[in-house]
Amino acid sequence: MTRIYPQFIVAKFGGTSVADFDAMNRSASIVLANPNVRLVVLSASAGVTNLLVELSEGLESHQQLDKLDTLRTIQYNIISRLKQPTVISKEIDNLLDNISRLAQTATVSPSAALSDELVSHGELMSSLLFTEVMRERGVESSWFDARSVIRTDSTHGCAEPQVSAVAELAETHLRPRIEQEIMITQGFIGRDANGRTTTLGRGGSDYTASLLGEALHAGRVDIWTDVAGIYTTDPRIAPNAKRIDSISFSEASDMAGYGAKVLHPATLLPAMRKNIPVFVGSSKDTAAGGTLVCCTTDNPPRYRAVAVRRKQTLLRLHRLDEQPSNRFLAQIFTLLAEHNVATDLVTTSESTIALALDSSNATSGEDHTLTTALFTALASHCRVEVETGLALVTLVGNQLTKELGVCNDVFSRLEEHAVRMICHGASHNNLCFLLPGDAADSAVKALHHRLFE
């Protein structure tokens, strides 16, 4: 008999929530505690993606063996706790063998496409193991390959989902099955039109959960991680950070986009399009509560949170001749578009453009934005100055451009920091500035203490 779940829940579990057998068991208990959870999206076990990224960059033989041994140990520490380990061990062995083969190829000819193929194995392994944990607890559940519904473009390392195709494929291949049993699938990975594996960027499992929630008209998306919600800043930087019980889509989207690690930057876009609430909680302590992200909140505060985004590059482009500034701007942004360079922070003077480039989100550990081809193209129009190793600190709030004293509140506490760039006014709800990466924690602490403690 088919049961209808009009308000079914998509539950996503992060790397720490599937790090080992005990973590997987806790996550399984969360799924079983709510009959409306019909679709489970998993990250790779904690630490696995980093190991796979290193292997994808090409390592010496002895380094490869060390990484592969560590990967095998993580998987078999889980398998050894299963009642019937032989049921799943062969499939895991096949994936580990495939990782080894791809890692060897990467030493000869590394590529972004190969990296995506290799890194995808983390989610494939964790989802297979979690499915077996669920089955051993007597739950009707099945493993599902997310790549059969998450259709993307061919931008390896940070692919863009094709939303209409995802909706159509999910309705055809997933909808009938979630009515019958709990489906276990992978976050982060997809497939392009040519059948090649792609990834959605680091932390992309949240994005997958939100995309599938949108495609299937879910009632809610639950993001289970290692912290009990979204805080006013990273508690590891400022121990007195406070949890936010409810927050609007726009506030949370700004936080995620500007570096808050609790959510992938693109996670909230699909949820916003269909007005699907997103809950963020800790799989280690469900009783601790969490944060509900929804359309609007009552009495939004002036200052909501401080976020930090590392691995930033400042690009200063100095005009070479006396051409009009409007023509110079047009030429530069045309070149950036031709080279697929996205920038979310820009300031200008009479003869200079300053751009902040973000390389914190791609799967690869390297910044592939500043290519030789881009430098060559820019050099014909301007003198290029590059500064790397910066961090972007962002104050997120509400109507900041209309409030008095905001700049004093922020910069009066930062007199010891060399601020490289400031962006304020383009958005009513945030103020951003760049500074050296090694000064970021100190700046965040000072700002949080001034505004939230």
Side-chain angles (χ1 to χ4, degrees):
M1 177 180 175
T2 299
R3 297 175 63 185
I4 305 299
Y5 299 90
Q7 292 296 305
F8 85 94
I9 294 170
V10 178
K12 177 264 174 179
F13 293 93
T16 56
S17 300
V18 291
D20 52 35
F21 181 83
D22 291 330
M24 285 192 175
N25 236 349
R26 285 194 298 270
S27 297
S29 295
I30 291 172
V31 174
L32 297 177
N34 191 334
N36 287 322
V37 177
R38 306 304 298 167
L39 180 59
V40 178
V41 177
L42 300 181
S43 296
S45 297
V48 167
T49 299
N50 287 339
L51 289 166
L52 294 170
V53 168
E54 290 180 73
L55 287 168
S56 74
E57 293 171 350
L59 297 176
E60 298 291 334
S61 296
H62 68 280
Q63 293 175 309
Q64 272 191 39
L65 290 174
D66 286 345
K67 305 297 181 189
L68 291 167
D69 285 345
T70 303
L71 282 171
R72 184 176 294 274
T73 298
I74 293 171
Q75 310 312 313
Y76 268 85
N77 282 344
I78 299 170
I79 290 172
S80 65
R81 300 280 299 278
L82 295 169
K83 297 171 187 174
Q84 296 180 303
T86 55
V87 172
I88 197 67
S89 58
K90 185 176 180 181
E91 288 184 79
I92 298 299
D93 284 343
N94 288 338
L95 290 172
L96 288 168
D97 288 343
N98 206 34
I99 290 170
S100 179
R101 179 183 60 80
L102 291 168
Q104 290 174 19
T105 303
T107 62
V108 180
S109 54
S111 69
L114 185 145
S115 177
D116 275 0
E117 179 68 29
L118 202 160
V119 173
S120 71
H121 284 65
E123 278 69 19
L124 296 173
M125 291 190 293
S126 66
S127 57
L128 284 167
L129 291 168
F130 187 79
T131 302
E132 199 56 36
V133 169
M134 292 282 284
R135 285 175 181 161
E136 290 197 351
R137 294 186 62 166
V139 183
E140 288 188 15
S141 56
S142 289
W143 184 87
F144 184 85
D145 191 337
R147 293 171 296 185
S148 60
V149 297
I150 301 297
R151 183 62 49 79
T152 74
D153 66 10
S154 299
T155 307
H156 291 286
C158 199
E160 185 66 30
Q162 308 296 309
V163 175
S164 58
V166 171
E168 183 179 339
L169 291 166
E171 193 66 36
T172 301
H173 299 291
L174 260 180
R175 169 74 67 185
R177 299 189 66 179
I178 62 173
E179 303 286 1
Q180 304 295 330
E181 56 187 338
I182 296 171
M183 302 304 297
I184 315 296
T185 194
Q186 311 80 40
F188 178 59
I189 66 176
R191 183 176 285 150
D192 68 10
N194 298 316
R196 302 197 73 171
T197 296
T198 56
T199 60
L200 303 182
R202 295 302 292 264
S205 293
D206 295 348
Y207 195 12
T208 302
S210 187
L211 283 165
L212 292 175
E214 176 189 31
L216 297 169
H217 307 282
R220 195 174 75 222
V221 173
D222 290 350
I223 306 291
W224 295 100
T225 179
D226 56 353
V227 291
I230 299 172
Y231 285 71
T232 48
T233 198
D234 187 339
R236 291 168 297 185
I237 299 175
N240 291 327
K242 302 174 178 65
R243 189 180 70 210
I244 304 166
D245 292 330
S246 64
I247 187 171
S248 69
F249 281 132
S250 61
E251 292 171 315
S253 183
D254 266 4
M255 288 184 66
Y258 288 114
K261 295 297 185 183
V262 179
L263 292 173
H264 180 278
T267 298
L268 296 173
L269 297 177
M272 290 169 70
R273 289 193 290 259
K274 290 290 176 65
N275 195 20
I276 301 170
V278 175
F279 174 79
V280 182
S282 170
S283 64
K284 295 179 179 179
D285 186 8
T286 56
T291 299
L292 186 68
V293 187
C294 47
C295 188
T296 59
T297 60
D298 294 331
N299 303 313
R302 174 194 282 195
Y303 302 132
R304 178 63 88 180
V306 180
V308 59
R309 194 171 75 190
R310 306 180 197 275
K311 293 186 179 180
Q312 305 299 291
T313 298
L314 178 59
L315 203 61
R316 291 189 184 89
L317 308 176
H318 304 272
R319 194 172 64 194
L320 293 176
D321 51 37
E322 296 303 317
Q323 63 178 309
S325 59
N326 60 341
R327 186 180 302 169
F328 178 54
L329 286 168
Q331 289 172 335
I332 295 303
F333 284 103
T334 297
L335 282 174
L336 294 173
E338 290 172 352
H339 290 264
N340 296 313
V341 176
T343 179
D344 52 3
L345 295 176
V346 181
T347 63
T348 65
S349 69
E350 183 63 28
S351 61
T352 304
I353 304 172
L355 307 165
L357 305 181
D358 175 30
S359 60
S360 64
N361 193 43
T363 300
S364 171
E366 299 179 13
D367 180 9
H368 298 293
T369 303
L370 300 176
T371 62
T372 302
L374 174 61
F375 270 118
T376 302
L378 289 172
S380 64
H381 297 281
C382 56
R383 179 171 61 84
V384 182
E385 187 181 345
V386 179
E387 186 176 1
T388 60
L390 301 177
L392 177 71
V393 176
T394 302
L395 172 63
V396 177
N398 291 278
Q399 301 300 317
L400 297 184
T401 57
K402 299 181 180 180
E403 296 280 357
L404 299 178
V406 172
C407 290
N408 181 66
D409 284 348
V410 173
F411 295 109
S412 64
R413 290 294 182 270
L414 301 176
E415 63 272 5
E416 295 181 1
H417 297 85
V419 175
R420 297 290 196 269
M421 177 181 181
I422 299 170
C423 283
H424 184 43
S427 166
H428 290 304
N429 300 325
N430 64 61
L431 184 158
C432 312
F433 56 92
L434 275 178
L435 73 173
D438 57 8
D441 285 4
S442 173
V444 169
K445 280 182 183 177
L447 199 53
H448 190 272
H449 183 79
R450 169 74 176 84
L451 302 180
F452 296 98
E453 298 175 32

